[in-house]
PDB file of all heavy atoms in Angstrom:
ATOM      1  N   PHE A 989    -194.438   3.506 -59.059  1.00  0.00           N
ATOM      2  CA  PHE A 989    -194.992   2.642 -60.096  1.00  0.00           C
ATOM      3  C   PHE A 989    -195.343   3.490 -61.302  1.00  0.00           C
ATOM      4  O   PHE A 989    -195.902   4.575 -61.155  1.00  0.00           O
ATOM      5  CB  PHE A 989    -196.289   1.962 -59.619  1.00  0.00           C
ATOM      6  CG  PHE A 989    -196.090   0.932 -58.558  1.00  0.00           C
ATOM      7  CD1 PHE A 989    -195.950   1.295 -57.229  1.00  0.00           C
ATOM      8  CD2 PHE A 989    -196.045  -0.413 -58.883  1.00  0.00           C
ATOM      9  CE1 PHE A 989    -195.772   0.342 -56.248  1.00  0.00           C
ATOM     10  CE2 PHE A 989    -195.871  -1.371 -57.912  1.00  0.00           C
ATOM     11  CZ  PHE A 989    -195.723  -0.994 -56.596  1.00  0.00           C
ATOM     12  N   TRP A 990    -195.033   2.979 -62.491  1.00  0.00           N
ATOM     13  CA  TRP A 990    -195.545   3.570 -63.723  1.00  0.00           C
ATOM     14  C   TRP A 990    -196.866   2.883 -64.007  1.00  0.00           C
ATOM     15  O   TRP A 990    -196.943   1.654 -64.022  1.00  0.00           O
ATOM     16  CB  TRP A 990    -194.594   3.344 -64.890  1.00  0.00           C
ATOM     17  CG  TRP A 990    -193.392   4.230 -64.861  1.00  0.00           C
ATOM     18  CD1 TRP A 990    -192.107   3.860 -64.591  1.00  0.00           C
ATOM     19  CD2 TRP A 990    -193.350   5.631 -65.126  1.00  0.00           C
ATOM     20  NE1 TRP A 990    -191.275   4.948 -64.669  1.00  0.00           N
ATOM     21  CE2 TRP A 990    -192.016   6.048 -64.997  1.00  0.00           C
ATOM     22  CE3 TRP A 990    -194.326   6.579 -65.461  1.00  0.00           C
ATOM     23  CZ2 TRP A 990    -191.619   7.374 -65.196  1.00  0.00           C
ATOM     24  CZ3 TRP A 990    -193.930   7.889 -65.653  1.00  0.00           C
ATOM     25  CH2 TRP A 990    -192.596   8.272 -65.519  1.00  0.00           C
ATOM     26  N   VAL A 991    -197.914   3.667 -64.225  1.00  0.00           N
ATOM     27  CA  VAL A 991    -199.247   3.143 -64.495  1.00  0.00           C
ATOM     28  C   VAL A 991    -199.786   3.858 -65.737  1.00  0.00           C
ATOM     29  O   VAL A 991    -199.849   5.086 -65.763  1.00  0.00           O
ATOM     30  CB  VAL A 991    -200.212   3.376 -63.314  1.00  0.00           C
ATOM     31  CG1 VAL A 991    -201.593   2.810 -63.622  1.00  0.00           C
ATOM     32  CG2 VAL A 991    -199.649   2.791 -62.034  1.00  0.00           C
ATOM     33  N   ARG A 992    -200.152   3.081 -66.770  1.00  0.00           N
ATOM     34  CA  ARG A 992    -200.733   3.694 -67.961  1.00  0.00           C
ATOM     35  C   ARG A 992    -202.220   3.935 -67.710  1.00  0.00           C
ATOM     36  O   ARG A 992    -203.003   3.003 -67.549  1.00  0.00           O
ATOM     37  CB  ARG A 992    -200.554   2.830 -69.203  1.00  0.00           C
ATOM     38  CG  ARG A 992    -201.039   3.585 -70.447  1.00  0.00           C
ATOM     39  CD  ARG A 992    -200.830   2.889 -71.775  1.00  0.00           C
ATOM     40  NE  ARG A 992    -200.077   1.678 -71.765  1.00  0.00           N
ATOM     41  CZ  ARG A 992    -200.368   0.616 -72.488  1.00  0.00           C
ATOM     42  NH1 ARG A 992    -201.418   0.611 -73.283  1.00  0.00           N
ATOM     43  NH2 ARG A 992    -199.626  -0.460 -72.441  1.00  0.00           N
ATOM     44  N   VAL A 993    -202.576   5.206 -67.690  1.00  0.00           N
ATOM     45  CA  VAL A 993    -203.950   5.621 -67.436  1.00  0.00           C
ATOM     46  C   VAL A 993    -204.610   5.918 -68.785  1.00  0.00           C
ATOM     47  O   VAL A 993    -204.094   6.729 -69.544  1.00  0.00           O
ATOM     48  CB  VAL A 993    -203.979   6.864 -66.517  1.00  0.00           C
ATOM     49  CG1 VAL A 993    -205.403   7.306 -66.246  1.00  0.00           C
ATOM     50  CG2 VAL A 993    -203.244   6.575 -65.211  1.00  0.00           C
ATOM     51  N   PRO A 994    -205.734   5.254 -69.094  1.00  0.00           N
ATOM     52  CA  PRO A 994    -206.358   5.438 -70.406  1.00  0.00           C
ATOM     53  C   PRO A 994    -206.708   6.895 -70.716  1.00  0.00           C
ATOM     54  O   PRO A 994    -206.484   7.366 -71.819  1.00  0.00           O
ATOM     55  CB  PRO A 994    -207.625   4.587 -70.344  1.00  0.00           C
ATOM     56  CG  PRO A 994    -207.381   3.612 -69.258  1.00  0.00           C
ATOM     57  CD  PRO A 994    -206.455   4.277 -68.292  1.00  0.00           C
ATOM     58  N   GLU A 995    -207.268   7.601 -69.740  1.00  0.00           N
ATOM     59  CA  GLU A 995    -207.609   9.017 -69.904  1.00  0.00           C
ATOM     60  C   GLU A 995    -207.309   9.733 -68.596  1.00  0.00           C
ATOM     61  O   GLU A 995    -207.961   9.480 -67.587  1.00  0.00           O
ATOM     62  CB  GLU A 995    -209.078   9.186 -70.277  1.00  0.00           C
ATOM     63  CG  GLU A 995    -209.416   8.639 -71.644  1.00  0.00           C
ATOM     64  CD  GLU A 995    -210.854   8.919 -72.055  1.00  0.00           C
ATOM     65  OE1 GLU A 995    -211.666   9.344 -71.203  1.00  0.00           O
ATOM     66  OE2 GLU A 995    -211.157   8.723 -73.232  1.00  0.00           O
ATOM     67  N   LEU A 996    -206.339  10.645 -68.642  1.00  0.00           N
ATOM     68  CA  LEU A 996    -205.938  11.365 -67.436  1.00  0.00           C
ATOM     69  C   LEU A 996    -206.430  12.802 -67.506  1.00  0.00           C
ATOM     70  O   LEU A 996    -206.137  13.531 -68.454  1.00  0.00           O
ATOM     71  CB  LEU A 996    -204.421  11.347 -67.271  1.00  0.00           C
ATOM     72  CG  LEU A 996    -203.892  12.062 -66.035  1.00  0.00           C
ATOM     73  CD1 LEU A 996    -204.304  11.319 -64.776  1.00  0.00           C
ATOM     74  CD2 LEU A 996    -202.387  12.188 -66.088  1.00  0.00           C
ATOM     75  N   THR A 997    -207.226  13.177 -66.504  1.00  0.00           N
ATOM     76  CA  THR A 997    -207.690  14.548 -66.312  1.00  0.00           C
ATOM     77  C   THR A 997    -207.502  14.876 -64.834  1.00  0.00           C
ATOM     78  O   THR A 997    -207.095  14.005 -64.047  1.00  0.00           O
ATOM     79  CB  THR A 997    -209.181  14.706 -66.680  1.00  0.00           C
ATOM     80  OG1 THR A 997    -209.963  13.957 -65.745  1.00  0.00           O
ATOM     81  CG2 THR A 997    -209.471  14.240 -68.101  1.00  0.00           C
ATOM     82  N   ALA A 998    -207.834  16.083 -64.453  1.00  0.00           N
ATOM     83  CA  ALA A 998    -207.727  16.465 -63.043  1.00  0.00           C
ATOM     84  C   ALA A 998    -208.691  15.673 -62.167  1.00  0.00           C
ATOM     85  O   ALA A 998    -208.485  15.563 -60.961  1.00  0.00           O
ATOM     86  CB  ALA A 998    -207.974  17.964 -62.884  1.00  0.00           C
ATOM     87  N   SER A 999    -209.726  15.076 -62.757  1.00  0.00           N
ATOM     88  CA  SER A 999    -210.703  14.333 -61.960  1.00  0.00           C
ATOM     89  C   SER A 999    -210.569  12.810 -62.106  1.00  0.00           C
ATOM     90  O   SER A 999    -211.406  12.071 -61.588  1.00  0.00           O
ATOM     91  CB  SER A 999    -212.125  14.762 -62.340  1.00  0.00           C
ATOM     92  OG  SER A 999    -212.383  14.463 -63.695  1.00  0.00           O
ATOM     93  N   THR A1000    -209.539  12.342 -62.780  1.00  0.00           N
ATOM     94  CA  THR A1000    -209.349  10.898 -62.950  1.00  0.00           C
ATOM     95  C   THR A1000    -209.109  10.234 -61.602  1.00  0.00           C
ATOM     96  O   THR A1000    -208.384  10.742 -60.758  1.00  0.00           O
ATOM     97  CB  THR A1000    -208.156  10.620 -63.884  1.00  0.00           C
ATOM     98  OG1 THR A1000    -208.449  11.150 -65.172  1.00  0.00           O
ATOM     99  CG2 THR A1000    -207.874   9.127 -63.995  1.00  0.00           C
TER     100      THR A1000
END
Side-chain angles (χ1 to χ4, degrees):
F989 290 81
W990 284 109
V991 180
R992 186 176 353 140
V993 180
E995 293 185 348
L996 180 68
T997 67
S999 62
T1000 297

